[in-house]
Amino acid sequence: MALRRALHFVFKVGDRTKTAVFYRDVLGMKILRHEEFEEGCKATCNGPYDGKWSKTMVGFGPEDEHFVAELTYNYGVGEYHLGNDFLGLTVQSSQAVSNAKRLGWPLTEVGEALYLTQAPGGYPFYLVDKEQPPTEPAVLNSSVLNKNDFSTNLWLDHWFTDPVQKVCLGVSDLQRSIHYWTTLLGMTVMEKNEEKKTVLMGFTDTQCKLELCDNSGTVDHGTAFGRIAFSCPREQLTDLEALIKKENQKILTPLVSLDTPGKATVEVVILADPDGHEICFVGDEAFRQLSKVDPNGNELLDKAVAEDKSDEWFAKHNRQKAAA
C-alpha cells in the first residue's frame, strides 16, 4: 500500500535537557515543532497520564518526507522502566558518529561501520558510519509540486532515502506478527533473516522500515512503551478499523478526532498488534497540515525547558520525580 507511509515513533522522556542534546547535538536532528498541553491526550499519545505534558517532534527534515521522533514529556515523571519491546532505531550518519565522539557520548562498536549508543532513558540507537543520505530532494521545484497530492508524494518517495533506516521491535511469534503487519496493515516483506529471526518490512523501499525480531518469549513493554505511527488517506481509516474488528484484533482507541490549538484537527485510530505494540494510523491529508515545520520550534522547546522548575522544586524538598 504505497499510499501509506511511516511517520514517527513516540518516546517517553524524563529529561528534556539531556534528550535535546542527544537529538540536536549528537544525531544532528532539527526541532520541527513543539507543543504544550494542559491535560492528557484523548488517544493517550503521552501514555496513561492525564496531567500537563509536552510533545516535541525532531527529525532530519520535514515530516512530509522523513521519519521522525515524537518526544513526549509528562511533567512530574522523571523516568520510565524499559522493557524488551523497543530494540532500536537505526540512523545512517557518519556525522552523528563524529558528533558522539567529539562530545564524549558513549559509543560501542558492534559491527563493521556500526555503533550502538543510547538516548537518555536508555533507548538503543544504532549509528551507521556512512555518509548521511540527502535530507531533501534539492533539485525539486516546489512551485510545480503539490505535496498534498498522493501521486506527487509517491513520486517523491523515489528521490531520496531517509537517514532513519529502520525501527526494530521485539515480538514473541514472528510468523503471527508477519501475518498481522502484512495481511491486515498492508506492509510488504523486504528481507528475512532466518538465523537472526528477523524480518524487514515497509510500505515503500525508500521509507523508514519496520524490523521485527523474535524475542523467543513474552514481550515486556515496561512503562516506557512507545508507539509507531503511520498515515493513510482519510477514507481508509474507517475501512482499516472495520477490518481490525472483523479479525478480532485489538483497537485501543476507536476512530477519534484530536485537536491541537491553532492547528489542523486530525483523525486517528490506535491499534495494538498481537504483542501489544501500539500503532497509530492518522488521516494523511490533515496530518500534513498539522505537521508543518514551525520555525519557532527550537525557541519554544528551550522556553518550556527554562520555565519548567520541577527539578528545582523536587531538589529543594529533597524528593525525586516519580518513576513510572
Side-chain angles (χ1 to χ4, degrees), residues 264-280:
T265 295
V266 298
E267 292 176 272
V268 305
V269 59
I270 312 297
L271 316 175
D273 81 348
D275 285 296
H277 289 291
E278 295 192 2
I279 308 158
C280 171

Side-chain angles (χ1 to χ4, degrees), residues 150-216:
F150 287 118
S151 62
T152 294
N153 282 286
L154 178 60
W155 180 75
L156 278 171
D157 272 342
H158 297 280
W159 271 86
F160 65 101
T161 302
D162 198 322
V164 181
Q165 295 185 335
K166 63 182 179 181
V167 173
C168 184
L169 301 178
V171 299
S172 60
D173 184 329
L174 191 57
Q175 293 307 313
R176 180 181 65 177
S177 294
I178 291 173
H179 172 78
Y180 179 91
W181 288 88
T182 57
T183 305
L184 301 186
L185 301 189
M187 281 194 162
T188 298
V189 172
M190 298 177 176
E191 292 179 19
K192 279 187 179 181
N193 188 317
E194 300 292 344
E195 182 180 352
K196 294 182 178 180
K197 297 182 179 180
T198 62
V199 61
L200 191 69
M201 58 182 67
F203 290 120
T204 68
D205 187 55
T206 53
Q207 289 184 17
C208 174
K209 314 296 191 308
L210 173 66
E211 182 177 60
L212 302 179
C213 179
D214 197 327
N215 277 346
S216 300

Side-chain angles (χ1 to χ4, degrees), residues 75-108:
Y75 284 78
V77 181
E79 61 180 306
Y80 300 89
H81 168 68
L82 291 173
N84 63 358
D85 53 344
F86 176 76
L87 301 182
L89 187 148
T90 300
V91 175
Q92 179 179 319
S93 174
S94 56
Q95 185 60 56
V97 175
S98 297
N99 292 343
K101 291 179 178 178
R102 175 175 52 83
L103 296 170
W105 200 275
L107 286 176
T108 302

